[in-house]
Amino acid sequence: RRSSDGEPAKFQPPPKPVIVDRQRQREERRFLSPEFIPPRGRTDPLKFYIERKDMIQRRKVFNIPEFYVGSILAVTTADPYADGKTNRFVGICIQRGGKGLGATFVLRNVIEDQGVEICYELYNPRIQEIKVLKLEKRLDDNLMYLRDALPEYSTFDMDMKPVSRLEHEEVPVNKLQVRMKPKPWSKRWERPKYNIKGIKFELPEKKMQEAQKWSQPWLEFDMLREYDTSKLEKKIWREVNEELKK
Amino acid sequence: SISGTCQAIQKLTRVRVVDNSALGNTPYHRPPKCIHVYNKTGVGKVGDKILLAIKGEKKKALIVGHKMPGPHMTPRFDSNNVVLIEDNGNPIGTRIRTPIPYILRRREGEFSKVLAIARNFV
């Protein structure tokens, strides 16, 4: 480069490149599937270790993607009684239950005005493909109240296209407040024991205050109910990652 | 409906007729109710035949879905669905719009005519 008066300009080093460390970002966002975390109890940890080995073995052969309650999945299973021997179902995950190899998730959809729920086992060999069409979280861990919500909140197109998202963004939290059908509901969702944040309660104030009569504010301070899984999670995460890389 | 607990279909359960037969779709002041289940236990699951009381008449019907959760990987419906049937197994309606579980295909011999008029499978 030459400046205006003809003399060579002082050496300008090139601008520093912005290094986006993708590897580190990916490792920072850790997701351990909830069925790896053993329940609190007095069983021998050897049992959970053996079960984890079997789960990792299955995961090496078949990819189980990361998903949360509230994401929309498409599952194809092998079915001897279906046309073409495969059965495809699309739905929103309303619950993830069970630990170890018996872990299940329930998908819900409304087809032709009929609500259908299917409880799939994650490690069942009949499942041929699990695809996440839309990865997102909701305000609650358990969306069973969708049974008593208006059907529009549970309808999803069977031929929905997967929603693209960038690799290492935060999982979006959908702060949708769902409107309910008129009471009676299958459970009294306004009660504090369910601790539901995703419903737009249109009940009168008196009913909401009456529901607070059943609140148990001492439960969150109960030390015998505490189950701190942070150390366990780190240990299991390291173990699972090492095994999966082999 | 009012009932809270979800059990499978037994005597006196109110059911929902899902085919397009005249008997199932004309409104009546009383909902169709089950009065007998053709089963060793009195509890009807998917694929069992029951006796229904509709519009003051008795009619046989086939259970195609219930609110009770069944074995894993099988669908659970939000209403107790039923298809009206004759004594010899012929369905009365000509079309079934609501989804039917694939499990019924196991007994293809008995239910072939019902499965033939079904549109969607789950």
Side-chain angles (χ1 to χ4, degrees):
Chain A
R1 282 205 185 174
R2 299 230 163 228
S3 58
S4 48
D5 49 331
E7 286 171 13
K10 205 167 156 220
F11 171 66
Q12 296 280 348
K16 275 205 177 137
V18 177
I19 303 170
V20 177
D21 199 351
R22 293 277 156 95
Q23 184 108 44
R24 198 182 322 147
Q25 273 187 4
R26 212 176 292 143
E27 276 184 76
E28 272 166 15
R29 238 217 48 221
R30 305 163 154 214
F31 173 71
L32 185 66
S33 223
E35 71 265 7
F36 280 105
I37 304 164
R40 190 172 71 144
R42 284 174 57 187
T43 38
D44 202 333
L46 178 68
K47 177 214 176 203
F48 300 120
Y49 175 68
I50 299 173
E51 219 174 8
R52 251 177 280 140
K53 269 188 21 184
D54 284 336
M55 284 152 78
I56 293 166
Q57 196 60 11
R58 173 70 181 158
R59 276 184 185 241
K60 282 190 188 158
V61 177
F62 171 70
N63 171 42
I64 298 176
E66 161 194 1
F67 66 97
Y68 303 90
V69 169
S71 10
I72 302 172
L73 308 182
V75 176
T76 42
T77 50
D79 204 333
Y81 307 113
D83 319 306
K85 305 294 174 195
T86 50
N87 180 2
R88 182 172 187 261
F89 188 72
V90 170
I92 185 171
C93 176
I94 53 176
Q95 181 185 278
R96 281 187 84 158
K99 297 284 179 202
L101 286 168
T104 55
F105 63 101
V106 182
L107 290 185
R108 178 181 166 85
N109 201 345
V110 171
I111 312 174
E112 298 267 352
D113 303 326
Q114 170 72 65
V116 184
E117 290 174 10
I118 309 191
C119 179
Y120 287 106
E121 290 163 338
L122 269 176
Y123 295 96
N124 194 323
R126 270 172 61 188
I127 297 186
Q128 291 172 340
E129 195 204 352
I130 303 181
K131 197 163 164 201
V132 176
L133 298 176
K134 189 172 186 193
L135 181 69
E136 65 176 8
K137 287 198 220 190
R138 289 276 260 250
L139 291 169
D140 308 299
D141 248 347
N142 205 310
L143 299 177
M144 283 291 175
Y145 55 80
L146 287 180
R147 290 178 191 169
D148 299 314
L150 296 173
E152 64 196 31
Y153 295 104
S154 316
T155 28
F156 300 98
D157 190 20
M158 284 297 240
D159 312 306
M160 201 169 119
K161 294 276 157 64
V163 169
S164 61
R165 56 181 291 272
L166 299 172
E167 267 284 305
H168 10 267
E169 264 182 2
E170 286 269 337
V171 176
V173 179
N174 190 353
K175 301 209 166 129
L176 177 65
Q177 298 245 295
V178 148
R179 289 186 57 209
M180 306 290 276
K181 289 195 233 175
K183 268 208 164 195
W185 299 329
S186 58
K187 302 255 182 226
R188 291 175 225 241
W189 303 112
E190 74 276 8
R191 294 225 172 148
K193 95 170 196 203
Y194 297 108
N195 194 18
I196 291 187
K197 305 199 174 57
I199 299 184
K200 189 169 182 175
F201 291 109
E202 278 151 9
L203 300 170
E205 265 300 316
K206 221 173 120 182
K207 294 270 177 189
M208 298 300 290
Q209 275 157 19
E210 207 189 302
Q212 291 302 316
K213 270 201 308 200
W214 280 269
S215 70
Q216 297 173 308
W218 57 86
L219 266 189
E220 58 173 315
F221 303 109
D222 195 343
M223 292 179 77
L224 285 182
R225 277 169 211 260
E226 278 173 11
Y227 184 36
D228 187 21
T229 52
S230 43
K231 289 193 188 139
L232 250 183
E233 260 192 58
K234 286 200 183 108
K235 211 173 92 182
I236 296 175
W237 162 263
R238 251 184 291 129
E239 189 190 315
V240 166
N241 263 35
E242 275 169 26
E243 285 286 321
L244 276 175
K245 276 179 198 155
K246 283 185 195 162
Chain B
S1 51
I2 309 166
S3 36
T5 53
C6 40
Q7 300 295 325
I9 299 176
Q10 57 183 27
K11 288 196 188 184
L12 295 189
T13 41
R14 289 160 292 186
V15 290
R16 175 186 164 210
V17 176
V18 293
D19 56 17
N20 64 347
S21 53
L23 201 54
N25 290 39
T26 39
Y28 193 61
H29 54 87
R30 302 186 71 178
K33 272 193 191 161
C34 167
I35 45 182
H36 188 262
V37 180
Y38 293 102
N39 209 344
K40 283 286 162 71
T41 68
V43 179
K45 305 276 177 154
V46 174
D48 288 335
K49 295 213 179 102
I50 60 173
L51 229 205
L52 226 51
I54 307 184
K55 294 187 78 176
E57 316 171 0
K58 292 184 282 196
K59 212 67 190 186
K60 278 205 185 167
L62 174 75
I63 304 178
V64 290
H66 48 69
K67 269 177 109 171
M68 174 163 169
H72 287 311
M73 316 286 262
T74 53
R76 184 204 86 108
F77 296 87
D78 274 1
S79 60
N80 299 317
N81 298 341
V82 119
V83 169
L84 293 179
I85 217 172
E86 294 278 356
D87 281 338
N88 48 12
N90 295 0
I92 298 178
T94 52
R95 216 176 301 166
I96 304 178
R97 286 196 74 190
T98 45
I100 306 275
Y102 276 113
I103 309 288
L104 280 181
R105 278 254 165 91
R106 184 182 282 177
R107 291 198 262 167
E108 186 99 48
E110 295 172 55
F111 307 139
S112 53
K113 296 186 190 156
V114 178
L115 294 165
I117 61 175
R119 287 298 186 78
N120 310 3
F121 282 91
V122 167

